[in-house]
Structure formats: C-alpha cells, structure tokens
Amino acid sequence: EDDMHNVSVASALEIGEPFVVFFASPQFCVSAMCGPVTDTMDQAQREAGPGVEFIHIEPWDLSAAREEGRLVPAPVMQEWRLPTEPWTFVVDADGRVAMRFEGLVTVEEVLAALASQGRLRMHHPDPVVRPLRSPTECQGINLFHHPGRLVHVLAVKNPSGPQVARP
C-alpha cells in the first residue's frame, strides 16, 4: 500500500499546506498516459520528501469497470469538471489551484510548482558546461545534466567556443 491514498483532499485543505492531487487510472486509462503520470508522481513524492502530500484519485467508477466492463466517470470527475484523464493539480495553502497539468507532466514541473508555493527549495546545480568539440557536434546543442537526468537543453547560437548556460 502506498501513502497517496491516506489523506483526502478535504483533509489536506484543512491542514492548510500546499499539496499535489492527481487523477489517473493506471489500470483503466483511456489515454495511455496514466501509468507514466503515476510513475512521475511517485518520483516527485520521493524527491519532495516527507511533509508534502500527494493524493491519487481514481477517475473511474471501479465497480462498474471491474464488474461490468464499463468505464463510468467517478462523481469526483464531475465535481472537478474534468472531461479526461490524467490531470495533476498543485494546490496552494489557501486551497486554490496554483498550477494544473493535463496529460503528461515532469517531475521537475511538479517540484517547481511546489517550490513556487514555498513548499520546497529548488536546488539549481551549476550546469556541466563543455566546449563543443566540432562545429557539427550535436548540431549546436549542449545537454546539461543533474544526477542522472536531463535538466536543460540549450540551443547554442555561436558554436565557436565554450558556451555558458544559466539555468
């Protein structure tokens, strides 16, 4: 059992801290994006650390899906006025939606939205900068990495020497 189902949206609102709520159905997803979004939320929750609530909401009536083979939107989809899935919302301390994402979202986008609410401190590492080795290398693109994942892609306008990026 995960801890994305222990707190309701109503409880999170009472606490008065920013949180993330996402609507996705890895098992019954129509868009084929729910599994990746759920994986993204798992990683974002790990990186955000304890104290930031991530709440998963199933968009479909699971009884109808499992017993009748029909996908019927759960009442919560109408309450939130969501015509599709997946959706991700970052809710601020006052209970207002601070940021919303339809479909795919990255860990970095979720963490940045939480940071904008003062919930996280974003660490912007010094970019790894190297000169281009040849005029055709990467066709003028430098990749900047942060422990194992791509953070920035910078188009280099002048590939004649070392380039410096500012995140």
Side-chain angles (χ1 to χ4, degrees):
E1 181 166 322
D2 62 65
D3 56 355
M4 292 189 187
H5 298 96
N6 295 335
V7 175
S8 68
V9 171
S11 295
L13 289 169
E14 287 177 15
I15 294 169
E17 294 287 339
F19 63 93
V20 177
V21 58
F22 69 103
F23 297 78
S25 181
Q27 187 174 5
F28 298 107
C29 191
V30 181
S31 67
M33 291 187 270
C34 297
V37 167
T38 301
D39 292 344
T40 295
M41 293 304 114
D42 285 340
Q43 183 179 347
Q45 183 182 39
R46 283 192 305 276
E47 291 190 26
V52 178
E53 293 295 343
F54 280 72
I55 302 168
H56 170 251
I57 297 180
E58 173 63 46
W60 304 110
D61 177 332
L62 291 179
S63 296
R66 290 180 179 144
E67 296 166 14
E68 303 167 22
R70 298 182 310 121
L71 288 181
V72 177
V76 69
M77 292 293 281
Q78 292 174 346
E79 290 171 17
W80 284 68
R81 297 185 177 104
L82 301 178
T84 60
E85 39 78 50
W87 279 88
T88 303
F89 298 91
V90 175
V91 180
D92 71 14
D94 295 322
R96 291 186 297 262
V97 173
M99 187 70 67
R100 65 181 180 179
F101 305 94
E102 179 180 14
L104 295 176
V105 59
T106 67
V107 171
E108 289 78 13
E109 289 172 316
V110 173
L111 295 179
L114 284 167
S116 75
Q117 297 305 305
R119 198 64 185 117
L120 295 178
R121 288 188 178 183
M122 292 299 290
H123 171 66
H124 293 288
D126 294 329
V128 176
V129 180
R130 61 172 174 72
L132 296 172
R133 295 185 191 142
S134 72
T136 59
E137 181 184 24
C138 301
Q139 298 180 7
I141 302 291
N142 274 347
L143 302 180
F144 298 87
H145 294 270
H146 176 279
R149 69 175 185 272
L150 178 68
V151 176
H152 299 282
V153 178
L154 172 69
V156 179
K157 293 182 181 176
N158 180 7
S160 61
Q163 305 296 315
V164 177
R166 301 283 179 235

